[in-house]
Amino acid sequence: MDTTNTAVLLIEFQNDFTTPGGALHDAVAGSMAETGMLANSAKLMDAAREAGATIIHIPISFKPGYSEITSHPYGILAGVVGSQAFVAGGWGAAITDEMTPAPADIVVEGKRGLDAFGSTNLDFILRSKGIQKVAIGGFLTNCCVESTMRTAYERGYDVVTLTDCVAATSSQEHQNAITYDYPMFSRPMTGTEFLAELSGVEAVADTSRGYEPAPA
């Protein structure tokens, strides 16, 4: 694989999801623990960056009062507003320490909805850098990650979903998305498998959630 045409998209690794005390952390804490996704994602980010892939962070945030969206939100955005999550400039909207962007990383601004392409210049960034392959991790398995996966697939990118770098609000939702939806619009794989493909070597069994591929 040519790592110069590969990007890792890291969706909403923000304190309101990742960190105790975050507005939505309790909702995802169980799923995060089951997959070890935060540690997995941090290891993957560092290794992919070292291998030469582009690292793109895609947080979501809103002005106090959520004036960017309807005054009568429903569905997942109603939950965001009701919990006062992801308020711009606040601790909850900040990217968690474990996933702190490096100087060369890209932080995409303007995400206000579910699909990371929808209200941002993500597609422009990817195409201007010659990116052909995207690997996606973050929150939620069956919401923003899935929405972004579907759009990336429709726009012709080679899409990988990182199955142990995502979390949802329940095990059932998480597993359902990975089992039934991800294979329709992506190539689902663990972080170990993705990094092995990135490095051109054979992946070893992911028993410790470390990303140390073995030589082919």
Side-chain angles (χ1 to χ4, degrees):
M1 184 192 304
D2 180 4
T3 58
T4 62
N5 67 14
T6 301
V8 178
L9 309 184
L10 301 169
I11 298 175
E12 295 175 16
F13 282 91
Q14 295 161 266
N15 287 322
D16 272 336
F17 271 141
T18 62
T19 311
L24 298 172
H25 178 68
D26 287 349
V28 298
S31 181
M32 288 180 66
E34 287 177 5
T35 61
M37 65 86 72
L38 187 55
N40 291 344
S41 300
K43 292 175 183 177
L44 180 136
M45 176 181 69
D46 291 343
R49 185 190 293 122
E50 182 67 22
T54 297
I55 306 299
I56 301 179
H57 304 263
I58 313 172
I60 189 170
S61 65
F62 303 91
K63 295 178 182 178
Y66 300 90
S67 59
E68 301 95 333
I69 59 176
T70 174
S71 59
H72 303 286
Y74 60 94
I76 188 67
L77 289 178
V80 169
V81 174
S83 62
Q84 293 293 290
F86 307 119
V87 176
W91 172 84
I95 294 173
T96 190
D97 289 344
E98 292 91 336
M99 302 296 288
T100 298
D105 293 356
I106 296 168
V107 180
V108 170
E109 300 177 355
K111 187 174 188 295
R112 302 288 184 265
L114 312 185
D115 175 9
F117 289 92
S119 58
T120 74
N121 65 343
L122 175 60
D123 191 61
F124 173 82
I125 291 170
L126 295 174
R127 296 193 187 280
S128 67
K129 293 182 67 65
I131 300 298
Q132 299 173 4
K133 178 190 296 290
V134 294
I136 310 173
F139 300 88
L140 297 165
T141 310
N142 60 325
C143 187
C144 293
V145 172
E146 181 166 335
S147 295
T148 302
M149 168 197 72
R150 289 170 178 258
T151 297
Y153 180 85
E154 293 280 6
R155 295 192 181 194
Y157 292 99
D158 179 4
V159 185
V160 169
T161 39
L162 301 165
T163 57
D164 59 350
C165 297
V166 293
T169 56
S170 72
S171 296
Q172 293 86 348
E173 291 169 306
H174 174 80
Q175 290 298 334
N176 184 77
I178 287 175
T179 302
Y180 298 108
D181 297 339
Y182 280 20
M184 295 181 66
F185 306 101
S186 72
R187 295 189 294 121
M189 61 181 73
T190 66
T192 298
E193 293 166 338
F194 171 69
L195 289 173
E197 183 175 288
L198 198 65
S199 303
V201 296
E202 182 179 351
V204 297
D206 188 14
T207 57
S208 65
R209 300 200 185 282
Y211 293 143
E212 301 295 335

